[in-house]
């Protein structure tokens, strides 16, 4: 009887909530209306009681856009590490909103703040950390370094500079061609090595199978003589 009564009470409570007839126990209708109570406390309002973290607490899932050093413990936080960050509006750039994301370090709980910079279309570290300086060198990466806009304009306007750049490009192209030829020769040699290795493995398997067959013949009933290979 007790279990059935409890189940019926829970069922009627769920039905009352579904029909919007549920009244919280600490709501006093003599003091304020239900809508005012919900807007003040957030109780019974789907905006606050749902699963949307940003609607409830202003928290979003933030992914670090670059490598940074934490000022609190000195550890490096790599690009792509995710945080539960508090999202705040801190200003505007013309009509674009500037957002700031506040999050704790995973190691020391030092507060780190990163904000958007619409003017330069990137993120800025404003508090608790510093961005890791990573310099790029086209020479060390083995790639061709692209010329700046000023250098391209200078080459177009100066005939001698254009000629010098043309000669330099021809020299680099020749070096690249030589390097590509070396890689092609290495690839051909590796293919030949694979063919030789395959042939050796095939001969080894054939000899091994022959040895197994000879061993079997030696141990056949009625044969006590060792059979020599032909």
């Amino acid at each position: 009887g007790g279990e059935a009564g409890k189940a019926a009470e829970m069922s009627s409570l769920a039905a009352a909530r579904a029909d919007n007839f549920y009244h919280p126990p600490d709501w006093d209708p003599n003091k304020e209306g239900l809508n005012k109570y919900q807007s003040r406390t957030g109780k019974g309002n789907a905006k606050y009681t749902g699963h949307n973290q940003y609607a409830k607490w202003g928290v979003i899932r933030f992914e670090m856009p670059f490598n940074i050093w934490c000022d609190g413990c000195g550890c490096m936080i790599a690009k792509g590490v995710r945080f539960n960050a508090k999202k705040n509006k801190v200003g505007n750039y013309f009509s674009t909103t500037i957002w700031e994301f506040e999050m704790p370090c995973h190691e020391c709980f030092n507060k780190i703040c990163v904000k958007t910079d619409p003017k330069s279309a990137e993120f800025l570290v404003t508090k608790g950390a510093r961005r890791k300086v990573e310099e790029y060198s086209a020479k060390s990466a083995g790639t061709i370094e692209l010329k700046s806009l000023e250098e391209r304009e200078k080459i177009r306007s100066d005939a001698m500079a254009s000629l010098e750049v043309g000669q330099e490009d021809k020299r680099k192209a020749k070096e690249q061609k030589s390097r590509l030829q070396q890689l092609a020769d290495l690839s051909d040699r590796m293919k030949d090595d694979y063919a030789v290795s395959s042939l050796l493995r095939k001969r080894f398997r054939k000899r091994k199978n022959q040895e197994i067959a000879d061993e079997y013949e030696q141990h056949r009933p009625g044969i006590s003589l060792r059979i020599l290979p032909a």
Side-chain angles (χ1 to χ4, degrees), residues 72-142:
C73 59
C75 71
M76 191 195 80
I77 300 174
K79 175 182 177 181
V81 176
R82 296 181 178 181
F83 296 85
N84 288 334
K86 193 168 184 181
K87 179 180 176 182
N88 301 310
K89 180 180 178 181
V90 294
N92 289 285
Y93 177 73
F94 294 102
S95 61
T96 304
T97 303
I98 299 176
W99 298 100
E100 185 179 64
F101 306 94
E102 180 182 318
M103 68 213 80
C105 173
H106 290 155
E107 299 292 335
C108 64
F109 300 102
N110 174 50
K111 186 183 294 183
I112 300 172
C113 294
V114 179
K115 75 173 185 178
T116 59
D117 183 10
K119 183 178 180 180
S120 56
E122 65 174 357
F123 291 90
L124 300 175
V125 181
T126 58
K127 183 180 179 181
R130 64 188 186 278
R131 184 170 180 175
K132 183 181 179 183
V133 179
E134 297 177 314
E135 297 181 353
Y136 170 78
S137 172
K139 183 177 181 180
S140 62

Side-chain angles (χ1 to χ4, degrees), residues 22 60 62 67 88 92 109-110 190-191 218 222:
Y22 172 71
I60 66 164
F62 179 79
N67 298 333
N88 301 310
N92 289 285
F109 300 102
N110 174 50
M190 291 178 66
K191 289 180 180 178
Q218 290 178 14

Side-chain angles (χ1 to χ4, degrees), residues 166-177:
Q167 294 295 331
E168 182 67 15
D169 289 344
K170 289 181 180 180
R171 184 185 65 79
K172 290 181 178 179
K174 187 175 180 180
E175 292 178 357
Q176 292 292 332
K177 185 177 181 181

Side-chain angles (χ1 to χ4, degrees), residues 141-206:
T143 59
I144 299 175
E145 185 174 2
L146 300 178
K147 296 178 175 59
S148 63
L149 180 62
E150 292 78 8
E151 290 175 338
R152 292 199 297 269
E153 290 296 332
K154 180 180 178 181
I155 292 172
R156 291 193 188 99
S157 60
D158 191 343
M160 290 301 296
S162 178
L163 180 61
E164 291 176 0
V165 170
Q167 294 295 331
E168 182 67 15
D169 289 344
K170 289 181 180 180
R171 184 185 65 79
K172 290 181 178 179
K174 187 175 180 180
E175 292 178 357
Q176 292 292 332
K177 185 177 181 181
S178 176
R179 177 59 179 164
L180 290 174
Q181 186 61 43
Q182 292 177 5
L183 294 174
D185 294 342
L186 179 61
S187 178
D188 293 340
R189 183 168 61 83
M190 291 178 66
K191 289 180 180 178
D192 293 341
D193 291 345
Y194 176 79
V196 173
S197 177
S198 178
L199 180 61
L200 289 175
R201 290 196 303 271
K202 185 176 180 181
R203 290 179 178 177
F204 174 78
R205 285 194 298 269
K206 185 177 180 181

